Amino acid sequence: MLFLKECKKVLFSLTFFVYFITVLAIYLTQFQYDGREALERPVPGYNDYGMVAKEIPEIMMPAAVESLVCEYLSGSFTAYPYGFVKYVKLTENKKMQLAKIISEVSGITAQELDSFEGFEQGGYYMDENGYLFYQEPVIPKITMPENLTYEHFRELMKEADRIIGGGSKYSDEFIVGNFSLVPKTYEDALAEYEQFINEDKITTAYARLYCDYLGIDLAILPVFVAVALANLDKRSRMEQLAYARKISSTKLIFTRFFALISVMMIPVVLTTVLAGNLVNNLYPGYAVDSFAIYRYMIGWLVPNIMVASAVGMLLTEISSGLLAIFAQGAWWLTSIFAATGGLTGRIGRFTLVMRHNNLMKRDVFYAQWENVVFNRTFYTVISIAGVALTALIYEQKRRGRINGLPFQIDLQNFKRQSKA
């Protein structure tokens, strides 16, 4: 049976062995390490329960205005329009538009902004003794108009976000989390813990953390396994034999794809079972959702494996495994860097590596639920489309209509030239 033969080739490859060990190591060093102790119910009287985002105009407005002035003076704005970090430099026309907004919320005129010298960003720094300290930014004096209402302020921030290009700190999606963080009270911490116990049923929270850890590496590792499988056929001249057979290209390529996914799911399913048992043992006697971690594993992690495998198959067929690894690696790195702005609360519709590195903040995750569903559906669909395109190119080669491509890169030749 073709499917079993393809599974066998993947299963007994060195690349899959490395993949298997890596997935297991991630589980043991990341998730299992964090799951050593159960979360305790908050106790009243503690000085620090962490921070929480609350929509408090008196805190948000001056903080957002100061940030907007700093970014304007630095000449660069940080945004996440599609889940990827983007550093925006405005045209002169847009700078004029933004200067009007800044003038309205800060009392600083456009002329004062453009003529200001001695700007310093401010922030947290380390002194010569290794102590962390905060330095105030050096900017013109801000005087917010007394008649500026919160509603009008939010409208102006929306306009500022539009000028920047969307996905900025001042968008409706990010403004509260960026500029209105306050210390949690005991009541806040207790309410969050009650959500963890009663609404997340414990296991759902751990499922998100588990998928956060494994999702990082499952967005890159499968491309190596997919490339290795394609190169195995080329080295053993199985490609020419496959060309001569009557089996359809679509059946062959899709069988290979599903064999890759099935075999690469083995360590993922194994660690999912281990994670589920770990959580159940941490919270004996509690009502847990035993199947939550399996649902999240399928919905969150399988699309990562699919898209990385599809990229590996498609670009290897078009050009070479080297290009496939480079392209997926660049995409993966871009997505990882985009997440450095926050490990929770920044799941965009096209974010490759979704992050929610927190057992709490359930409301933050589900506030983005539409993005999560769209994101995972999108990557599932484009994975299937990528494999279909691979089958089409494979068929054209098989019929002799394509004999190499203008940008074909031979990985073996590249290695030989590098050694020379």
Side-chain angles (χ1 to χ4, degrees):
M1 185 180 177
L2 180 61
F3 177 74
L4 293 179
K5 288 181 179 179
E6 293 295 324
C7 285
K8 186 178 178 181
K9 285 196 290 186
V10 178
L11 188 61
F12 292 101
S13 68
L14 176 61
T15 313
F16 174 72
F17 175 75
V18 175
Y19 165 86
F20 186 100
I21 296 300
T22 304
V23 171
L24 191 60
I26 294 162
Y27 168 79
L28 293 173
T29 60
Q30 301 295 318
F31 180 81
Q32 184 167 294
Y33 182 82
D34 279 359
R36 291 169 299 165
E37 298 178 357
L39 293 183
E40 299 291 341
R41 188 181 184 87
V43 177
Y46 277 12
N47 293 326
D48 184 10
Y49 295 102
M51 303 294 287
V52 64
K54 289 186 177 181
E55 191 171 0
I56 304 175
E58 295 77 13
I59 295 174
M60 184 196 302
M61 291 170 67
V65 171
E66 181 179 287
S67 173
L68 190 59
V69 172
C70 285
E71 289 201 296
Y72 182 93
L73 291 173
S74 72
S76 179
F77 299 83
T78 304
Y80 300 83
Y82 303 107
F84 302 105
V85 67
K86 182 180 180 182
Y87 299 102
V88 180
K89 291 189 179 298
L90 301 181
T91 63
E92 286 302 318
N93 183 46
K94 287 187 174 181
K95 282 185 68 176
M96 289 173 60
Q97 295 177 45
L98 193 59
K100 290 181 180 178
I101 293 175
I102 292 175
S103 179
E104 188 169 348
V105 297
S106 70
I108 306 170
T109 66
Q111 184 179 0
E112 288 173 326
L113 281 171
D114 294 333
S115 63
F116 185 76
E117 297 180 357
F119 164 69
E120 291 184 12
Q121 185 73 53
Y124 287 94
Y125 299 93
M126 196 82 70
D127 65 17
E128 63 274 8
N129 298 316
Y131 293 107
L132 196 67
F133 69 97
Y134 180 75
Q135 181 174 306
E136 293 286 344
V138 179
I139 58 176
K141 183 180 178 181
I142 294 173
T143 307
M144 296 184 63
E146 293 182 3
N147 60 350
L148 177 64
T149 65
Y150 179 63
E151 291 74 19
H152 185 50
F153 168 80
R154 289 298 297 267
E155 289 299 321
L156 291 172
M157 291 301 101
K158 285 183 188 178
E159 180 62 16
D161 176 65
R162 184 195 66 77
I163 293 169
I164 293 167
S168 73
K169 302 174 185 178
Y170 318 101
S171 65
D172 280 346
E173 184 179 3
F174 296 138
I175 192 168
V176 177
N178 274 305
F179 303 113
S180 196
L181 286 175
V182 296
K184 285 182 191 175
T185 63
Y186 165 71
E187 290 73 21
D188 292 330
L190 181 61
E192 197 169 50
Y193 184 80
E194 292 294 340
Q195 274 191 337
F196 168 73
I197 297 294
N198 300 320
E199 297 182 43
D200 270 337
K201 301 293 183 184
I202 300 173
T203 316
T204 305
Y206 279 94
R208 292 192 296 266
L209 185 65
Y210 167 79
C211 290
D212 173 86
Y213 283 135
L214 263 70
I216 297 171
D217 293 274
L218 290 179
I220 182 66
L221 293 177
V223 74
F224 293 95
V225 184
V227 166
L229 179 61
N231 285 335
L232 177 65
D233 278 353
K234 291 180 179 180
R235 287 197 301 270
S236 60
R237 299 185 182 277
M238 287 296 294
E239 192 176 52
Q240 298 302 320
L241 182 60
Y243 283 167
R245 289 180 175 174
K246 292 183 179 180
I247 184 172
S248 72
S249 297
T250 300
K251 182 178 180 181
L252 177 62
I253 296 300
F254 271 94
T255 299
R256 177 169 294 172
F257 176 67
F258 288 117
L260 277 166
I261 304 305
S262 300
V263 175
M264 283 192 283
M265 283 300 296
I266 293 173
V268 178
V269 172
L270 172 63
T271 55
T272 302
V273 173
L274 293 174
N277 290 337
L278 174 67
V279 176
N280 287 336
N281 292 333
L282 278 175
Y283 297 88
Y286 282 89
V288 299
D289 182 353
S290 299
F291 296 100
I293 197 163
Y294 298 98
R295 293 196 304 271
Y296 271 75
M297 177 265 289
I298 293 170
W300 189 321
L301 299 181
V302 172
N304 278 15
I305 298 175
M306 290 177 69
V307 73
S309 299
V311 169
M313 293 178 67
L314 176 60
L315 293 185
T316 300
E317 196 61 48
I318 289 176
S319 179
S320 76
L322 181 65
L323 178 63
I325 292 169
F326 176 80
Q328 186 65 23
W331 187 11
W332 177 78
L333 278 174
T334 303
S335 188
I336 293 295
F337 287 140
T340 58
L343 300 185
T344 59
R346 292 191 184 276
I347 300 175
R349 291 195 159 204
F350 303 103
T351 304
L352 175 64
V353 180
M354 298 198 309
R355 303 299 312 271
H356 191 85
N357 193 253
N358 199 307
L359 287 173
M360 300 298 183
K361 298 188 177 182
R362 180 182 191 275
D363 53 337
V364 174
F365 181 80
Y366 282 104
Q368 303 170 99
W369 184 244
E370 288 186 6
N371 281 358
V372 172
V373 173
F374 179 92
N375 181 296
R376 298 294 88 181
T377 303
F378 173 77
Y379 282 118
T380 300
V381 171
I382 67 165
S383 298
I384 299 298
V387 177
L389 182 56
T390 305
L392 177 63
I393 294 169
Y394 191 86
E395 177 66 17
Q396 298 307 304
K397 285 185 173 182
R398 199 175 186 182
R399 293 175 180 272
R401 294 173 182 170
I402 300 177
N403 185 20
L405 293 171
F407 43 93
Q408 191 81 22
I409 302 173
D410 189 318
L411 183 58
Q412 296 302 319
N413 285 341
F414 179 85
K415 288 180 178 178
R416 285 194 292 269
Q417 290 171 8
S418 298
K419 289 179 180 178

